[in-house]
Amino acid sequence: MNNKKKIFPSVLSASIAATMITMSSGSMAADSDPIKVGVMLPFSGVYAGLGESTRNGLKQALKEQGNSIAGRPVEFIEMDTEAKPARAPEITSSLVDNQKADFVIGPVHSGVAMGMIKTIKGKDSIMIIPNAGANAATGAFCQPNVFRTSFSSWQTAFPMGKEAYDMGYKKIVTMSWNYGFGKESLEAFNESFTKAGGEVIKEMLVPFPKTEFQSYLTEIASINPDAVFVFFAGGGAVKFVKDYDAMGLKGKIPLLGSGFLTEGTTTAQGPAAEGVITTLHYADALDIPKNQRFRQDYETLYGKPADLFAVQGYDAGQLIAQAVSATGGNTTDKAALIQQMEKLEIDSPRGAFHFSKAHNPIQTIYLRKVVDGQNTVVKVAQDHLEDPARGCKL
């Protein structure tokens, strides 16, 4: 009896010690597992340049952490979306269900974003949108595990309405391609402009991706509004601004736009872009120390200037690094990780921002004017602008 009583504590202690060693070993193994970052961006096709810039910014942010967060290495799994919405469910499922990605970064294209959001709903991965601006992504289709480090289409156009009215423009013609982002941009401008007391006297919707603008510009000349507000981007923006000048409207009817009208396009637009006024959450020449350091480091790493898309990718990387650090490297408890992400303030090259309840950035929107081929900041159009997230139930 006595021997058994003496032996039992020793056996029990040994058993507990063995169990603790086993648990500790399992924990250490888990702690050394890589943090898996799925990257769903267009690396081919018309949006390949945007995908490359976004990936570059993402990797720059994590390179600043030594490609390791809280002692865990970062592993990238890259998938080319080709900006094709039909591919979104298949690729998202592969990253989430097969690769077990902790984070999925993407996309550029709003149509791809909606397919991703529907597929990732209720899953154990966190999606971070570094560009796609469809309002519904953080509106009616908002999810606890979906964040955005870019913008909503509403945010990029809404502030220009009041700015236009304050400039003395009372009657305006609006124009865009006839597709989701364009129409959302015109709606946001109209909401703000009419609230201020202005009147949209004509809305023109151009079939996408048509770039024959002459008939529309002829009609604008005949209407002779106080100003024109448009949404065009990329090659369409280049063509529109040059045609606007060639038709003799520049200097007669002021041209305003969502920032994408002159974002990454001023070199191709040339002198025609001079004086064009836009609103956006970033400008290359933004006089913020963080922006200056970011741009210098980006050019050193990649041999070319950074752009807006690189900034948004960089901030997605910063979000991952800060959130995982805050949980001590634990990515298993996704609820705790999401909770940390919701609390964070991101020190961005665009200026600091934090997240709304719908997980969209609450951020500063700048009024910009093209001077000597560069988007220069005229003033802050609206500080701490929060998207209304219409339809979001979070």
Side-chain angles (χ1 to χ4, degrees):
M1 276 300 276
N2 289 340
N3 286 342
K4 287 182 181 178
K5 286 181 180 178
K6 288 178 183 177
I7 292 169
F8 179 75
S10 300
V11 172
L12 181 60
S13 298
S15 175
I16 292 172
T19 302
M20 290 178 68
I21 290 168
T22 302
M23 290 175 66
S24 177
S25 299
S27 176
M28 286 189 291
D31 288 346
S32 63
D33 285 345
I35 298 164
K36 291 188 176 184
V37 179
V39 181
M40 277 185 65
L41 294 169
F43 299 121
S44 61
V46 68
Y47 291 124
L50 281 57
E52 180 186 11
S53 290
T54 304
R55 174 178 58 185
N56 287 349
L58 171 69
K59 290 192 171 182
Q60 179 178 338
L62 294 170
K63 187 178 179 66
E64 290 175 359
Q65 307 295 320
N67 288 317
S68 175
I69 308 171
R72 295 178 60 189
V74 177
E75 176 186 335
F76 295 99
I77 308 164
E78 297 182 0
M79 307 288 273
D80 183 4
T81 66
E82 303 175 52
K84 293 180 179 178
R87 298 205 66 204
E90 176 192 352
I91 298 175
T92 306
S93 293
S94 174
L95 288 172
V96 171
D97 298 326
N98 300 335
Q99 301 289 347
K100 305 296 182 186
D102 296 297
F103 299 93
V104 177
I105 312 302
V108 163
H109 188 285
S110 287
V112 176
M114 299 315 295
M116 290 175 66
I117 289 169
K118 291 173 184 177
T119 306
I120 210 165
K121 182 178 181 180
K123 299 289 186 177
D124 202 30
S125 299
I126 297 173
M127 176 180 173
I128 303 175
I129 303 170
N131 188 66
N135 287 336
T138 51
F141 288 87
C142 67
Q143 305 290 341
N145 61 334
V146 176
F147 286 75
R148 179 152 53 189
T149 59
S150 52
F151 55 87
S152 68
S153 59
W154 182 92
Q155 282 181 307
T156 65
F158 179 83
M160 183 57 90
K162 185 176 185 305
E163 290 294 334
Y165 188 83
D166 290 347
M167 290 178 209
Y169 308 137
K170 303 298 188 285
K171 294 182 182 295
I172 283 182
V173 168
T174 62
M175 182 176 175
S176 171
W177 275 316
N178 188 12
Y179 73 154
F181 195 98
K183 291 191 288 186
E184 288 181 351
S185 298
L186 297 193
E187 288 166 5
F189 173 84
N190 187 51
E191 178 185 347
S192 177
F193 185 60
T194 54
K195 183 179 180 181
E199 180 187 358
V200 174
I201 55 177
K202 177 81 174 182
E203 179 182 279
M204 299 179 173
L205 294 174
V206 182
F208 179 77
K210 181 178 178 180
T211 57
E212 298 301 321
F213 300 121
Q214 187 172 353
S215 63
Y216 300 96
L217 295 174
T218 299
E219 185 176 358
I220 287 171
S222 68
I223 295 171
N224 194 29
D226 295 336
V228 174
F229 173 86
V230 305
F231 170 84
F232 292 106
V238 172
K239 181 74 163 42
F240 181 85
V241 169
K242 294 181 82 169
D243 286 359
Y244 198 87
D245 183 23
M247 291 284 289
L249 298 182
K250 182 184 175 184
K252 295 180 181 178
I253 304 173
L255 180 58
L256 318 174
S258 165
F260 298 100
L261 183 65
T262 57
E263 187 62 30
T265 58
T266 55
T267 299
Q269 288 162 339
E274 290 295 306
V276 174
I277 296 174
T278 61
T279 45
L280 201 62
H281 54 294
Y282 181 68
D284 292 348
L286 200 55
D287 189 16
I288 295 174
K290 177 78 172 185
N291 185 47
Q292 293 161 354
R293 288 194 303 273
F294 163 75
R295 296 187 67 84
Q296 183 178 4
D297 291 346
Y298 186 96
E299 189 146 9
T300 299
L301 281 171
Y302 303 112
K304 56 186 174 183
D307 57 19
L308 169 68
F309 306 101
V311 170
Q312 295 169 165
Y314 180 79
D315 289 338
Q318 289 202 107
L319 176 58
I320 292 171
Q322 289 181 231
V324 175
S325 294
T327 62
N330 180 0
T331 56
T332 303
D333 187 347
K334 290 302 191 296
L337 193 56
I338 288 168
Q339 189 175 46
Q340 288 298 329
M341 293 169 75
E342 290 173 334
K343 295 176 183 177
L344 292 175
E345 179 171 274
I346 304 298
D347 182 17
S348 169
R350 77 187 82 172
F353 71 85
H354 59 283
F355 293 100
S356 68
K357 288 183 179 180
H359 300 165
N360 194 71
I362 299 175
Q363 59 190 329
T364 300
I365 306 297
Y366 303 97
L367 184 71
R368 317 181 313 168
K369 184 176 183 178
V370 178
V371 179
D372 296 330
Q374 187 174 49
N375 289 298
T376 60
V377 176
V378 176
K379 58 178 282 195
V380 170
Q382 197 155 345
D383 204 9
H384 304 297
L385 182 61
E386 180 175 353
D387 179 89
R390 294 176 176 119
C392 180
K393 305 299 183 184
L394 288 180

